[in-house]
Amino acid sequence: MQNDWAYLEKYAIENQLLLKLPNNGNRIVFIGDSITEFWQQYDSAFFTQNKYINRGISSQTTSQIQERFQNDVIDLEPKYVIILAGINDIAENNGPISIEEIMNNIVSMVEKALKNNIEVVLCSILPASDFYWNPKIKPIEKIKQLNVLIEAYCLIEKIKFVDYYTPMVDENFGLDKKFTDDGVHPNLNGYLKMKTILESYLKL
């Protein structure tokens, strides 16, 4: 995948097949990183029963997700897009990046969706007190800062904001151990909690 930095190939065939199917105007696309991608593996019924479209790719940053936003969201003509992204930027998966730059990438995705008449549900990133793959990073404050920016932006732009952080954080500002096995990714309990939080925004 050396020449496919944003991994556009990952969902290319699925997207082509989807575009051949009739669009009833109620498609919902989830886009993000591993937290989105693994959700379907842990709770596949949530996606299949509701015909939700999962376009998560593990380890991706907002720069990569933004790069494939046209192919994996806009071209599919969904009614809604659920955006959950930013944790891998804080983990510096593609090197250092400022909170403002991360937010600019998220805003860029939101604006592109709205311009194409796609309604946006923007999510807070989940808590994490450290990253097992990059232990030198201390993410607690940056996660808080990014979530403050996301929530404020949603208020100003009147976009639906889903707060996963507050109900899932523990006393040490990490992801509550009952919701995770590695401190970053939800386990089944974590995904069931996220589903409970999100569902009220999807009954529209």
Side-chain angles (χ1 to χ4, degrees):
M1 302 315 301
Q2 215 167 350
N3 299 320
D4 187 7
W5 178 70
Y7 205 175
L8 297 173
E9 282 298 304
K10 181 171 174 73
Y11 293 112
I13 291 170
E14 284 180 53
N15 289 345
Q16 286 168 15
L17 293 173
L18 191 64
L19 290 172
K20 290 176 181 171
L21 299 174
N23 184 350
N24 64 4
N26 288 316
R27 280 180 184 161
I28 296 178
V29 175
F30 287 63
I31 195 162
D33 48 45
S34 55
I35 293 173
T36 297
E37 183 177 5
F38 298 165
W39 195 339
Q40 189 153 5
Q41 296 167 25
Y42 275 92
D43 189 6
S44 59
F46 178 54
F47 286 86
T48 52
Q49 288 170 6
N50 296 292
K51 295 188 167 63
Y52 295 150
I53 301 159
N54 188 308
R55 292 295 179 265
I57 298 184
S58 182
S59 84
Q60 286 205 333
T61 63
T62 54
S63 302
Q64 290 167 301
I65 296 164
Q66 181 187 206
E67 183 83 12
R68 62 185 177 87
F69 200 78
Q70 182 72 41
N71 295 49
D72 287 346
V73 179
I74 305 297
D75 291 350
L76 304 181
E77 299 183 344
K79 183 175 184 182
Y80 292 96
V81 61
I82 319 290
I83 302 172
L84 171 54
I87 196 74
N88 289 323
D89 298 73
I90 291 172
E92 298 187 5
N93 281 16
N94 286 325
I97 181 171
S98 71
I99 296 296
E100 289 73 25
E101 286 174 292
I102 302 169
M103 192 63 211
N104 287 343
N105 287 339
I106 293 170
V107 168
S108 173
M109 288 187 262
V110 172
E111 288 178 345
K112 192 179 276 194
L114 296 176
K115 190 176 164 189
N116 286 274
N117 300 312
I118 298 165
E119 293 186 51
V120 176
V121 178
L122 192 52
C123 306
S124 74
I125 56 174
L126 275 63
S129 55
D130 54 59
F131 301 121
Y132 57 86
W133 67 95
N134 196 356
K136 74 177 192 293
I137 302 285
K138 305 297 178 203
I140 290 172
E141 291 308 315
K142 286 187 174 180
I143 290 171
K144 288 183 189 174
Q145 288 166 20
L146 182 56
N147 281 337
V148 165
L149 290 180
I150 292 171
E151 184 172 14
Y153 173 72
C154 289
L155 277 170
I156 292 163
E157 299 298 329
K158 298 182 171 56
I159 291 164
K160 291 185 174 70
F161 171 70
V162 177
D163 180 11
Y164 293 133
Y165 181 93
T166 305
M168 298 181 76
V169 71
D170 67 13
E171 66 279 4
N172 300 312
F173 304 105
L175 187 52
D176 193 310
K177 287 180 177 57
K178 66 175 172 279
F179 297 132
T180 184
D181 299 324
D182 64 12
V184 176
H185 299 94
N187 55 20
L188 180 57
N189 279 339
Y191 283 119
L192 293 176
K193 180 69 173 176
M194 289 169 69
K195 177 167 71 172
T196 303
I197 296 164
L198 181 63
E199 275 185 328
S200 61
Y201 295 88
L202 300 180
K203 287 174 182 155
L204 309 157

